[in-house]
Amino acid sequence: MISASRMAALIGDEPLGSPAYRDLTDRLRILVIDGRLPDGTRLPSERELAAALGVSRTTTTRVYAELREAGLISSRQGSGSVVQVPFKASTVSSLILDPDSPDDIAMTYSAPSAPIGLASVFATAAERLPSLLSTTGYLPDGLRELREAIAEHHTADGLPTTPDQIVVTAGAMGAINLTAQTFLSPGSRVVVEGVSFPHGHDALIAAGSRLSPLPLTDHPWDPPALKSLLGRSRHAAAYLIPDFHNPTGAVMSDTDRGAWAALLKRHDVIPMVDETLRHVNLDDIELPPPFATYDPRAITFGSMSKAYWGGLRIGWARVPQARRMAMLQSRMFIDLGASAFDQLVAADLLRSGQELAQARLLEARQARDHLIAALSRAIPTVRTTRPSGGLNLWLTFPEPVTTRLVAAASRHGLLLTPGARFFVQSGGERHLRLPYTQPSDVLTDAVERLAAACGEIHAKDEPGRTGSTLDLIA
């Protein structure tokens, strides 16, 4: 059950657009799709929610009726209203939202389709499959040749690694979940960036952790703020994305890495370092050394999804030798291991897939530049940086409108994730993440739909205004 006050906090304190019931319905629909109002959640009564939001009961009654009609809640006399998520792909998570119509465009996931040539790698792996079929196929730590290839990958990046430090998982999310289940306990405090990858935070919360977000500054990492936070209470771990941060694209400096490592060691806090985007280095800039070179206690997460394909569900954790057995023992009651065949494919890609990886980087670089140019033409009032790596642009709007904008965009056939989804606490209404993982013509169409949605909400804010839909927020 969720209280009216907590639900009001999730809805946010930005003024409701007109009509209020429509804006409120849109915000609640997004909360359901995001998973912030999970299936089975009992909602507060219409009267309680109206009081918490400072709106009329007529408004909340209309909102609940709209949600019932959309099939998102069910209501029974005397039992209240309960979230009831329909079983379809578009309601699993707004970060992997698939369009219900072929004419819709989803810009919710920063993952590209498979590169040309990947099928031949699968075919080659299939030829080697008989060598695995004579075994049980259970690989709790991972296929030896894949662990060797991953270890070489880290060593070449300046982080000496042995195969016995690698635990292969079902994607980076598998590694994050396994680490959280192994080393965190209910009530453990975890330091997190104030804005970051939501599913990483969800995994920590699922393990019973309490998140301690850092305040937001010009970048996600503020050593003085970390020092203050660690000095106030005991923390078990810190989850961070120092390389081409998701969603901002920022890179943690060498100085900040050293400062963070010193503070985390001093307070005995385990660094959980997400490096899934480190090698999506579009401009081939010189990155600081991996975080684990500053703090050998770090557990580092990697993945094949961003460099190659999300359907190749192979990730890993690079673990200090002393912590490896604890993770393997935890794994015995989680999943026993990742797909043996996919591990063969991943090993071949790490050893001989450099051409595919380079082609993917070229595609992403061109898509990034195309998207930035399209936005500057169609929506000049929106600011963004040009990230040197990663797969996302992080937009900043001059006014707090992005939840309304996401709802309006859906009416134009453009599916987006609101900026608030990436914030641990309140905030995000001026921000929007736009992945550049689709072809240029699709990105151009998406920007035109986004501009039309901006024009729609601007027209509602100023009913007497006329002009082009591309004449946006001033």
Side-chain angles (χ1 to χ4, degrees):
M1 184 172 185
I2 185 170
S3 68
S5 59
R6 175 57 183 158
M7 193 159 159
L10 288 174
I11 290 168
D13 56 6
E14 299 301 329
L16 293 173
S18 179
Y21 84 87
R22 172 55 60 197
D23 189 7
L24 186 52
T25 301
D26 286 338
R27 296 191 195 191
L28 289 176
R29 185 185 69 83
I30 289 170
L31 291 176
V32 171
I33 293 174
D34 276 348
R36 285 179 284 172
L37 285 178
D39 185 68
T41 301
R42 188 172 300 279
L43 303 179
S45 69
E46 297 159 5
R47 178 182 289 107
E48 291 170 331
L49 183 59
L53 294 174
V55 299
S56 70
R57 186 180 175 186
T58 301
T59 297
T60 53
T61 298
R62 179 72 180 273
V63 168
Y64 278 23
E66 293 278 327
L67 293 173
R68 278 192 297 272
E69 185 175 340
L72 294 178
I73 69 172
S74 62
S75 303
R76 292 181 59 185
Q77 185 69 32
S79 299
S81 298
V82 176
V83 174
Q84 179 178 279
V85 182
F87 185 74
K88 59 180 181 177
S90 63
T91 54
V92 175
S93 165
S94 69
L95 296 181
I96 53 173
L97 194 66
D98 286 326
D100 294 324
S101 165
D103 295 327
D104 289 349
I105 299 173
M107 295 190 71
T108 55
Y109 38 79
S110 56
S113 57
I116 296 173
L118 185 60
S120 65
V121 182
F122 273 83
T124 300
E127 294 174 1
R128 301 199 294 128
L129 184 59
S131 64
L132 283 180
L133 296 179
S134 61
T135 72
T136 64
Y138 290 119
L139 299 165
D141 56 352
L143 187 69
R144 176 73 188 188
E145 68 172 282
L146 175 57
R147 289 189 288 114
E148 289 174 349
I150 294 170
E152 292 168 4
H153 166 84
H154 281 293
T155 300
D157 196 27
L159 179 61
T161 302
T162 66
D164 288 341
Q165 289 180 267
I166 303 300
V167 177
V168 178
T169 59
M173 281 304 304
I176 297 171
N177 274 292
L178 178 58
T179 302
Q181 294 292 335
T182 304
F183 300 113
L184 302 177
S185 56
S188 295
R189 293 183 182 273
V190 180
V191 178
V192 295
E193 300 141 341
V195 56
S196 186
F197 176 53
H199 286 331
H201 293 168
D202 293 342
L204 301 173
I205 293 170
S209 300
R210 292 182 290 171
L211 305 186
S212 298
L214 291 172
L216 299 175
T217 57
D218 291 338
H219 61 77
W221 315 283
D222 184 350
L226 177 65
K227 180 179 181 180
S228 175
L229 183 63
L230 296 181
R232 292 198 301 268
S233 57
R234 169 82 178 97
H235 285 74
Y239 172 72
L240 62 153
I241 309 176
D243 300 296
F244 306 126
H245 176 265
N246 185 1
T248 68
V251 174
M252 181 185 271
S253 69
D254 176 82
T255 300
D256 283 351
R257 290 176 201 235
W260 267 66
L263 286 166
L264 297 180
K265 283 188 282 189
R266 183 184 309 159
H267 292 274
D268 193 26
V269 177
I270 301 172
M272 298 169 59
V273 184
D274 190 335
E275 287 190 354
T276 53
L277 289 165
R278 179 173 172 88
H279 293 279
V280 188
N281 190 342
L282 304 184
D283 295 332
D284 196 27
I285 66 170
E286 183 177 354
L287 293 170
F291 191 90
T293 62
Y294 301 80
D295 187 349
R297 302 171 312 118
I299 298 173
T300 301
F301 309 125
S303 171
M304 304 295 292
S305 298
K306 304 302 183 185
Y308 295 100
W309 183 44
L312 187 62
R313 299 307 306 144
I314 295 297
W316 62 86
R318 180 196 179 276
V319 190
Q321 191 67 42
R323 296 190 184 274
R324 177 173 178 268
M325 184 52 66
M327 289 187 70
L328 294 180
Q329 289 176 331
S330 292
R331 191 162 204 184
M332 292 302 98
F333 59 84
I334 295 178
D335 64 5
L336 298 180
S339 162
F341 178 66
D342 282 6
Q343 291 186 60
L344 277 178
V345 176
D348 285 347
L349 284 169
L350 287 175
R351 289 269 169 79
S352 58
Q354 290 78 10
E355 287 188 11
L356 284 180
Q358 288 302 314
R360 172 52 48 82
L361 290 177
L362 176 60
E363 291 173 0
R365 186 183 309 122
Q366 292 173 341
R368 174 200 62 189
D369 295 344
H370 180 87
L371 181 57
I372 291 173
L375 285 166
S376 67
R377 289 191 300 268
I379 318 178
T381 55
V382 174
R383 292 186 292 107
T384 186
T385 58
R386 183 179 183 273
S388 296
L391 294 169
N392 307 290
L393 295 184
W394 186 237
L395 308 187
T396 302
F397 288 78
E399 294 183 0
V401 295
T402 56
T403 294
R404 294 169 57 200
L405 182 59
V406 168
S410 68
R411 293 190 284 273
H412 291 270
L414 176 62
L415 309 180
L416 303 167
T417 302
R421 181 69 173 100
F422 298 89
F423 283 67
V424 180
Q425 294 178 331
S426 61
E429 282 298 325
R430 292 180 182 269
H431 298 282
L432 191 68
R433 187 186 78 165
L434 281 190
Y436 39 82
T437 54
Q438 303 199 52
S440 295
D441 59 332
V442 176
L443 295 178
T444 298
D445 191 357
V447 170
E448 291 173 354
R449 298 184 191 202
L450 179 63
C454 287
E456 177 183 314
I457 63 172
H458 187 59
K460 288 182 178 179
D461 290 341
E462 297 185 25
R465 185 180 176 87
T466 60
S468 168
T469 58
L470 301 187
D471 182 18
L472 300 173
I473 304 168

